[in-house]
Amino acid sequence: MTPLIAGGGPAGATAAILLARGGASPRLLERTTAPHDIVCGAFLGWDALASLRALGIDPAALGAHPITRVRVIAGGRIVETALPHPAAGLSRRILDEALLAAATTAGARIDRGVTIRDATGTTLRLRDGDTATGDALFLATGKHDLRGLARPRPLAPSIGFRTALPVSPKLTAALTGMIELHAFDGGYAGILLQEDGRANFCLSASADRIGPGGVDALLADIAHDAPLLADRAATAQDWVAIAGVPYGWRTGETEPNLFRLGDQAAVIASLAGDGVAIALASGASAARAYLKSGPAGAQAWQRDFAARSRRPLLVASTIRHMAEHPRWRGPMTGLLAALPGIARIAARATRIGH
Ligand SMILES: Cc1cc2nc3c(=O)[nH]c(=O)nc-3n(C[C@H](O)[C@H](O)[C@H](O)COP(=O)(O)OP(=O)(O)OC[C@H]3O[C@@H](n4cnc5c(N)ncnc54)[C@H](O)[C@@H]3O)c2cc1C
Protein backbone atom coordinates (compact mmCIF):
# COMPACT_ATOMS: atom_id res chain seq x y z
CA MET A 1 0.00 0.00 0.00
CA THR A 2 1.70 3.21 -1.13
CA PRO A 3 -0.57 6.18 -0.86
CA LEU A 4 0.89 9.40 -2.28
CA ILE A 5 0.49 12.68 -0.44
CA ALA A 6 0.86 15.91 -2.40
CA GLY A 7 1.88 18.72 -0.02
CA GLY A 8 3.34 18.73 3.49
CA GLY A 9 1.23 21.33 5.32
CA PRO A 10 -0.94 20.36 8.32
CA ALA A 11 -3.36 18.30 6.19
CA GLY A 12 -0.76 16.28 4.29
CA ALA A 13 1.55 15.75 7.27
CA THR A 14 -1.33 14.54 9.48
CA ALA A 15 -2.37 12.02 6.84
CA ALA A 16 1.26 10.86 6.57
CA ILE A 17 1.57 10.35 10.34
CA LEU A 18 -1.60 8.30 10.69
CA LEU A 19 -1.17 6.30 7.48
CA ALA A 20 2.33 5.30 8.55
CA ARG A 21 1.21 4.46 12.08
CA GLY A 22 -1.62 2.39 10.58
CA GLY A 23 0.75 0.20 8.58
CA ALA A 24 0.61 1.84 5.13
CA SER A 25 3.79 3.16 3.48
CA PRO A 26 2.90 6.73 2.56
CA ARG A 27 5.16 8.90 0.41
CA LEU A 28 4.76 12.66 0.90
CA LEU A 29 6.04 15.17 -1.66
CA GLU A 30 6.69 18.73 -0.48
CA ARG A 31 8.24 21.45 -2.56
CA THR A 32 9.92 23.41 0.25
CA THR A 33 13.29 22.24 1.51
CA ALA A 34 13.42 23.89 4.95
CA PRO A 35 11.32 25.64 7.64
CA HIS A 36 9.37 28.49 6.07
CA ASP A 37 6.63 31.00 6.77
CA ILE A 38 3.30 30.71 5.04
CA VAL A 39 0.09 32.79 4.82
CA CYS A 40 -1.22 31.99 7.47
CA GLY A 41 -2.55 29.82 10.33
CA ALA A 42 -0.83 31.01 13.48
CA PHE A 43 -4.04 31.05 15.53
CA LEU A 44 -4.74 27.53 16.78
CA GLY A 45 -8.20 27.07 18.24
CA TRP A 46 -8.98 24.51 20.89
CA ASP A 47 -10.02 21.95 18.28
CA ALA A 48 -6.67 22.30 16.46
CA LEU A 49 -4.85 21.98 19.79
CA ALA A 50 -6.77 18.80 20.66
CA SER A 51 -6.00 17.31 17.23
CA LEU A 52 -2.30 18.06 17.65
CA ARG A 53 -2.21 16.52 21.12
CA ALA A 54 -3.95 13.42 19.76
CA LEU A 55 -1.08 13.11 17.26
CA GLY A 56 1.40 13.32 20.17
CA ILE A 57 2.45 16.91 19.43
CA ASP A 58 2.38 19.29 22.39
CA PRO A 59 1.95 22.89 21.16
CA ALA A 60 3.01 24.27 24.57
CA ALA A 61 6.31 22.37 24.33
CA LEU A 62 6.86 24.06 20.94
CA GLY A 63 6.52 27.42 22.67
CA ALA A 64 2.96 28.28 21.57
CA HIS A 65 1.71 31.53 23.11
CA PRO A 66 -1.46 30.89 25.18
CA ILE A 67 -4.52 32.88 24.05
CA THR A 68 -7.65 33.15 26.17
CA ARG A 69 -9.30 36.37 24.95
CA VAL A 70 -10.42 38.01 21.72
CA ARG A 71 -10.44 41.76 21.01
CA VAL A 72 -12.65 42.86 18.11
CA ILE A 73 -12.00 46.33 16.67
CA ALA A 74 -14.63 47.36 14.17
CA GLY A 75 -17.03 50.18 13.37
CA GLY A 76 -15.29 52.56 15.80
CA ARG A 77 -15.70 50.19 18.76
CA ILE A 78 -13.38 47.90 20.71
CA VAL A 79 -15.00 44.84 22.28
CA GLU A 80 -13.10 42.30 24.39
CA THR A 81 -14.30 38.96 25.68
CA ALA A 82 -13.02 35.55 26.81
CA LEU A 83 -12.78 32.70 24.32
CA PRO A 84 -14.84 29.61 25.18
CA HIS A 85 -11.63 27.55 25.59
CA PRO A 86 -7.88 28.27 25.54
CA ALA A 87 -6.30 28.75 22.10
CA ALA A 88 -2.69 29.45 21.11
CA GLY A 89 -0.39 31.34 18.75
CA LEU A 90 2.31 29.36 16.93
CA SER A 91 4.09 30.17 13.69
CA ARG A 92 3.64 27.82 10.76
CA ARG A 93 7.43 27.65 10.49
CA ILE A 94 7.42 25.72 13.79
CA LEU A 95 4.11 23.85 13.44
CA ASP A 96 4.73 22.42 9.96
CA GLU A 97 8.22 21.20 10.85
CA ALA A 98 6.93 19.47 14.00
CA LEU A 99 4.27 17.67 11.98
CA LEU A 100 6.71 16.60 9.27
CA ALA A 101 9.18 15.37 11.92
CA ALA A 102 6.39 13.28 13.49
CA ALA A 103 5.58 11.84 10.06
CA THR A 104 9.23 10.84 9.55
CA THR A 105 9.34 9.25 13.00
CA ALA A 106 6.17 7.32 12.19
CA GLY A 107 7.91 5.83 9.15
CA ALA A 108 6.48 7.93 6.31
CA ARG A 109 8.77 8.71 3.38
CA ILE A 110 9.08 12.48 3.15
CA ASP A 111 10.59 13.85 -0.06
CA ARG A 112 11.35 17.56 0.26
CA GLY A 113 12.35 19.94 -2.50
CA VAL A 114 10.01 18.10 -4.87
CA THR A 115 7.58 20.27 -6.83
CA ILE A 116 4.61 18.54 -8.42
CA ARG A 117 3.70 19.92 -11.83
CA ASP A 118 0.38 18.21 -12.43
CA ALA A 119 -1.76 15.17 -11.69
CA THR A 120 -3.56 12.59 -13.81
CA GLY A 121 -5.54 10.15 -11.72
CA THR A 122 -3.20 9.07 -8.94
CA THR A 123 -0.06 9.75 -10.98
CA LEU A 124 1.92 12.90 -10.31
CA ARG A 125 4.29 14.49 -12.79
CA LEU A 126 7.17 16.19 -11.03
CA ARG A 127 9.09 19.28 -12.08
CA ASP A 128 12.31 17.27 -12.54
CA GLY A 129 10.59 15.14 -15.18
CA ASP A 130 9.98 12.10 -12.94
CA THR A 131 6.58 10.65 -12.14
CA ALA A 132 5.19 9.17 -8.94
CA THR A 133 2.24 6.78 -8.70
CA GLY A 134 0.36 5.44 -5.71
CA ASP A 135 -2.76 3.39 -5.08
CA ALA A 136 -4.40 6.57 -3.76
CA LEU A 137 -3.67 10.29 -3.85
CA PHE A 138 -4.10 12.59 -0.85
CA LEU A 139 -4.28 16.06 -2.40
CA ALA A 140 -2.98 18.50 0.24
CA THR A 141 -1.44 21.35 -1.75
CA GLY A 142 -3.49 23.82 0.30
CA LYS A 143 -3.80 27.27 -1.24
CA HIS A 144 -2.05 26.13 -4.41
CA ASP A 145 -3.96 24.24 -7.07
CA LEU A 146 -2.47 21.40 -9.07
CA ARG A 147 -3.03 21.38 -12.81
CA GLY A 148 -5.47 18.59 -13.55
CA LEU A 149 -7.17 18.83 -10.15
CA ALA A 150 -7.64 22.59 -9.72
CA ARG A 151 -10.56 24.05 -7.79
CA PRO A 152 -12.89 26.33 -9.79
CA ARG A 153 -11.68 29.94 -9.98
CA PRO A 154 -13.52 31.99 -7.32
CA LEU A 155 -15.86 34.75 -8.47
CA ALA A 156 -14.77 37.07 -5.65
CA PRO A 157 -11.26 35.99 -4.64
CA SER A 158 -9.36 37.40 -1.68
CA ILE A 159 -5.68 38.06 -1.21
CA GLY A 160 -3.97 37.02 2.02
CA PHE A 161 -0.87 38.72 3.46
CA ARG A 162 1.38 37.79 6.35
CA THR A 163 4.30 39.33 8.18
CA ALA A 164 5.85 39.17 11.65
CA LEU A 165 6.14 42.41 13.62
CA PRO A 166 9.36 42.80 15.63
CA VAL A 167 9.26 42.27 19.40
CA SER A 168 8.13 45.45 21.17
CA PRO A 169 7.09 46.06 24.79
CA LYS A 170 3.99 47.91 23.54
CA LEU A 171 2.81 45.01 21.39
CA THR A 172 3.69 42.47 24.06
CA ALA A 173 1.58 44.34 26.61
CA ALA A 174 -1.34 44.75 24.20
CA LEU A 175 -1.33 41.20 22.85
CA THR A 176 -0.39 38.91 25.75
CA GLY A 177 -3.12 36.26 25.91
CA MET A 178 -5.04 37.97 23.11
CA ILE A 179 -6.10 37.48 19.50
CA GLU A 180 -6.90 40.87 18.02
CA LEU A 181 -9.27 41.10 15.03
CA HIS A 182 -9.60 44.35 13.05
CA ALA A 183 -12.41 44.60 10.47
CA PHE A 184 -12.47 47.13 7.64
CA ASP A 185 -14.30 47.55 4.31
CA GLY A 186 -13.56 44.44 2.25
CA GLY A 187 -11.19 42.77 4.68
CA TYR A 188 -9.82 42.09 8.15
CA ALA A 189 -6.51 41.70 9.97
CA GLY A 190 -5.63 39.30 12.78
CA ILE A 191 -2.69 39.89 15.16
CA LEU A 192 -1.31 37.61 17.87
CA LEU A 193 1.93 36.79 19.62
CA GLN A 194 3.79 33.73 18.40
CA GLU A 195 6.42 31.55 20.11
CA ASP A 196 9.36 33.93 19.57
CA GLY A 197 7.62 36.99 21.01
CA ARG A 198 7.08 38.60 17.61
CA ALA A 199 3.54 39.37 16.51
CA ASN A 200 2.11 37.35 13.66
CA PHE A 201 0.15 39.79 11.47
CA CYS A 202 -2.23 38.39 8.87
CA LEU A 203 -4.44 40.46 6.64
CA SER A 204 -6.99 39.41 4.08
CA ALA A 205 -8.76 41.69 1.62
CA SER A 206 -10.96 41.18 -1.42
CA ALA A 207 -8.81 41.33 -4.54
CA ASP A 208 -10.52 44.52 -5.75
CA ARG A 209 -9.29 46.36 -2.60
CA ILE A 210 -5.65 45.79 -3.55
CA GLY A 211 -4.27 48.25 -6.06
CA PRO A 212 -0.79 48.65 -7.53
CA GLY A 213 0.50 49.97 -4.17
CA GLY A 214 -0.24 46.59 -2.57
CA VAL A 215 -0.90 46.05 1.12
CA ASP A 216 1.03 49.18 2.21
CA ALA A 217 -1.25 51.39 0.10
CA LEU A 218 -4.31 49.59 1.51
CA LEU A 219 -3.14 50.20 5.10
CA ALA A 220 -2.52 53.88 4.32
CA ASP A 221 -5.97 54.10 2.72
CA ILE A 222 -7.81 52.67 5.76
CA ALA A 223 -5.66 54.44 8.40
CA HIS A 224 -8.36 57.07 9.02
CA ASP A 225 -11.11 54.46 9.70
CA ALA A 226 -8.82 51.93 11.37
CA PRO A 227 -6.22 53.99 13.27
CA LEU A 228 -5.28 51.24 15.74
CA LEU A 229 -4.65 48.82 12.88
CA ALA A 230 -2.47 51.41 11.12
CA ASP A 231 -0.57 51.92 14.38
CA ARG A 232 -0.04 48.17 14.86
CA ALA A 233 1.20 47.87 11.26
CA ALA A 234 3.69 50.75 11.57
CA THR A 235 6.71 48.40 11.69
CA ALA A 236 5.38 45.88 9.16
CA GLN A 237 7.60 44.87 6.27
CA ASP A 238 8.57 41.77 4.27
CA TRP A 239 5.02 40.73 3.51
CA VAL A 240 4.34 37.29 2.06
CA ALA A 241 1.18 37.14 -0.07
CA ILE A 242 -1.17 34.55 -1.52
CA ALA A 243 -3.72 35.46 -4.21
CA GLY A 244 -7.00 33.86 -5.25
CA VAL A 245 -8.18 32.58 -1.85
CA PRO A 246 -11.66 31.05 -2.45
CA TYR A 247 -13.30 31.58 0.97
CA GLY A 248 -16.40 29.46 1.41
CA TRP A 249 -15.45 26.89 -1.23
CA ARG A 250 -16.16 23.28 -0.26
CA THR A 251 -16.52 20.03 -2.17
CA GLY A 252 -18.17 16.69 -1.48
CA GLU A 253 -17.16 15.34 -4.88
CA THR A 254 -13.97 13.64 -5.86
CA GLU A 255 -12.58 11.12 -8.29
CA PRO A 256 -12.01 7.46 -7.34
CA ASN A 257 -8.95 6.97 -5.08
CA LEU A 258 -8.55 10.73 -4.53
CA PHE A 259 -8.85 12.26 -1.05
CA ARG A 260 -9.01 16.08 -1.17
CA LEU A 261 -7.72 17.43 2.15
CA GLY A 262 -7.43 20.76 3.96
CA ASP A 263 -7.90 23.83 1.77
CA GLN A 264 -8.41 21.47 -1.17
CA ALA A 265 -11.55 20.19 0.61
CA ALA A 266 -12.97 23.28 2.33
CA VAL A 267 -11.77 26.89 2.71
CA ILE A 268 -13.17 28.58 5.81
CA ALA A 269 -13.16 32.40 6.05
CA SER A 270 -9.83 32.94 7.76
CA LEU A 271 -11.04 35.41 10.39
CA ALA A 272 -12.60 32.36 12.10
CA GLY A 273 -9.08 30.92 12.57
CA ASP A 274 -10.12 27.33 11.94
CA GLY A 275 -8.35 26.47 8.67
CA VAL A 276 -5.57 24.52 10.37
CA ALA A 277 -8.11 22.61 12.49
CA ILE A 278 -9.96 21.68 9.28
CA ALA A 279 -6.68 20.60 7.69
CA LEU A 280 -5.80 18.41 10.71
CA ALA A 281 -9.30 16.94 10.93
CA SER A 282 -9.40 16.14 7.21
CA GLY A 283 -5.94 14.54 7.22
CA ALA A 284 -6.79 12.37 10.23
CA SER A 285 -10.24 11.25 9.10
CA ALA A 286 -9.11 10.58 5.51
CA ALA A 287 -6.22 8.44 6.74
CA ARG A 288 -8.63 6.44 8.91
CA ALA A 289 -11.00 6.00 5.93
CA TYR A 290 -8.13 4.72 3.78
CA LEU A 291 -6.92 2.31 6.46
CA LYS A 292 -10.46 0.96 6.85
CA SER A 293 -11.73 0.85 3.25
CA GLY A 294 -8.64 1.36 1.08
CA PRO A 295 -8.49 3.82 -1.84
CA ALA A 296 -12.14 3.00 -2.64
CA GLY A 297 -13.15 4.84 0.54
CA ALA A 298 -12.33 8.24 -0.96
CA GLN A 299 -15.68 9.24 -2.37
CA ALA A 300 -17.75 8.37 0.71
CA TRP A 301 -15.17 10.09 2.95
CA GLN A 302 -15.25 13.25 0.82
CA ARG A 303 -19.06 13.46 1.06
CA ASP A 304 -18.90 12.98 4.85
CA PHE A 305 -16.21 15.60 5.29
CA ALA A 306 -18.13 18.12 3.17
CA ALA A 307 -21.16 17.58 5.42
CA ARG A 308 -19.03 17.95 8.56
CA SER A 309 -17.50 21.24 7.39
CA ARG A 310 -20.77 22.77 6.16
CA ARG A 311 -21.84 24.57 9.35
CA PRO A 312 -18.45 26.09 10.30
CA LEU A 313 -17.99 27.43 6.75
CA LEU A 314 -21.49 28.87 6.58
CA VAL A 315 -21.27 30.63 9.95
CA ALA A 316 -17.76 31.95 9.21
CA SER A 317 -18.85 33.30 5.79
CA THR A 318 -21.82 35.08 7.34
CA ILE A 319 -19.66 36.71 10.03
CA ARG A 320 -17.05 37.68 7.44
CA HIS A 321 -19.60 39.38 5.20
CA MET A 322 -21.06 41.31 8.14
CA ALA A 323 -17.64 42.35 9.47
CA GLU A 324 -16.37 43.52 6.08
CA HIS A 325 -19.51 45.39 5.00
CA PRO A 326 -19.95 49.00 6.20
CA ARG A 327 -23.71 48.60 6.64
CA TRP A 328 -23.45 45.58 8.97
CA ARG A 329 -20.16 46.20 10.76
CA GLY A 330 -21.49 48.92 13.11
CA PRO A 331 -24.63 47.03 14.23
CA MET A 332 -22.62 43.83 14.59
CA THR A 333 -20.08 45.40 16.95
CA GLY A 334 -22.89 47.22 18.78
CA LEU A 335 -24.51 43.85 19.43
CA LEU A 336 -21.17 42.36 20.52
CA ALA A 337 -20.60 45.26 22.92
CA ALA A 338 -24.05 44.72 24.49
CA LEU A 339 -23.84 40.91 24.51
CA PRO A 340 -20.20 39.77 24.40
CA GLY A 341 -21.37 36.17 24.90
CA ILE A 342 -22.36 36.19 21.21
CA ALA A 343 -18.67 36.16 20.28
CA ARG A 344 -18.23 32.93 22.25
CA ILE A 345 -21.24 31.36 20.54
CA ALA A 346 -19.84 32.41 17.15
CA ALA A 347 -16.40 31.08 18.04
CA ARG A 348 -17.91 27.70 18.95
CA ALA A 349 -20.08 27.55 15.83
CA THR A 350 -17.10 28.05 13.52
CA ARG A 351 -15.16 25.01 14.87
CA ILE A 352 -14.89 21.79 12.88
CA GLY A 353 -14.24 19.97 16.16
CA HIS A 354 -11.74 17.33 16.95
C1 LIG B 1 -4.90 35.53 5.49
C2 LIG B 1 -5.11 34.17 6.07
C3 LIG B 1 -5.05 33.99 7.45
C4 LIG B 1 -5.25 32.73 8.01
N1 LIG B 1 -5.19 32.59 9.37
C5 LIG B 1 -5.44 31.38 9.92
C6 LIG B 1 -5.35 31.20 11.33
O1 LIG B 1 -4.96 32.11 12.08
N2 LIG B 1 -5.66 29.98 11.86
C7 LIG B 1 -6.03 28.92 11.06
O2 LIG B 1 -6.31 27.84 11.59
N3 LIG B 1 -6.08 29.05 9.72
C8 LIG B 1 -5.78 30.25 9.13
N4 LIG B 1 -5.79 30.37 7.77
C9 LIG B 1 -6.10 29.18 6.96
C10 LIG B 1 -4.91 28.21 6.89
O3 LIG B 1 -3.77 28.90 6.46
C11 LIG B 1 -5.22 27.08 5.93
O4 LIG B 1 -6.54 26.64 6.06
C12 LIG B 1 -4.27 25.89 6.16
O5 LIG B 1 -2.95 26.30 5.95
C13 LIG B 1 -4.60 24.74 5.24
O6 LIG B 1 -3.66 23.70 5.44
P1 LIG B 1 -3.29 22.72 4.23
O7 LIG B 1 -2.40 21.68 4.79
O8 LIG B 1 -4.52 22.32 3.51
O9 LIG B 1 -2.48 23.63 3.18
P2 LIG B 1 -1.17 24.55 3.32
O10 LIG B 1 -0.96 24.96 4.70
O11 LIG B 1 -1.33 25.62 2.28
O12 LIG B 1 0.03 23.56 2.91
C14 LIG B 1 0.14 23.10 1.58
C15 LIG B 1 1.55 22.53 1.41
O13 LIG B 1 1.65 22.00 0.09
C16 LIG B 1 2.87 22.41 -0.50
N5 LIG B 1 2.67 22.49 -1.94
C17 LIG B 1 1.81 23.31 -2.61
N6 LIG B 1 1.88 23.09 -3.94
C18 LIG B 1 2.81 22.12 -4.12
C19 LIG B 1 3.35 21.47 -5.29
N7 LIG B 1 2.95 21.78 -6.52
N8 LIG B 1 4.30 20.51 -5.10
C20 LIG B 1 4.74 20.18 -3.85
N9 LIG B 1 4.27 20.77 -2.71
C21 LIG B 1 3.32 21.72 -2.85
C22 LIG B 1 3.15 23.78 0.14
O14 LIG B 1 4.54 24.11 0.07
C23 LIG B 1 2.64 23.58 1.57
O15 LIG B 1 3.65 23.10 2.42
C24 LIG B 1 -5.54 31.61 7.17
C25 LIG B 1 -5.58 31.79 5.79
C26 LIG B 1 -5.35 33.04 5.23
C27 LIG B 1 -5.41 33.20 3.74
Side-chain angles (χ1 to χ4, degrees), residues 7-11 29-32 38-43 92 114-116 140-144 146 160 188 203-204 247 262-263 270 273-276 279:
L29 308 174
E30 164 58 41
R31 65 182 176 181
T32 61
I38 189 168
V39 187
C40 220
F43 176 83
R92 290 291 303 275
V114 179
T115 299
I116 304 157
T141 51
K143 300 162 187 80
H144 300 274
L146 265 195
Y188 89 99
L203 183 146
S204 161
Y247 289 134
D263 277 3
S270 55
D274 211 45
V276 169

Side-chain angles (χ1 to χ4, degrees), residues 10 13-15 17-18 21 50-57 99 102 280 284 354:
T14 300
I17 294 167
L18 294 180
R21 286 181 188 164
S51 292
L52 288 168
R53 288 187 201 110
L55 290 171
I57 294 173
L99 284 162
L280 297 167
H354 159 58

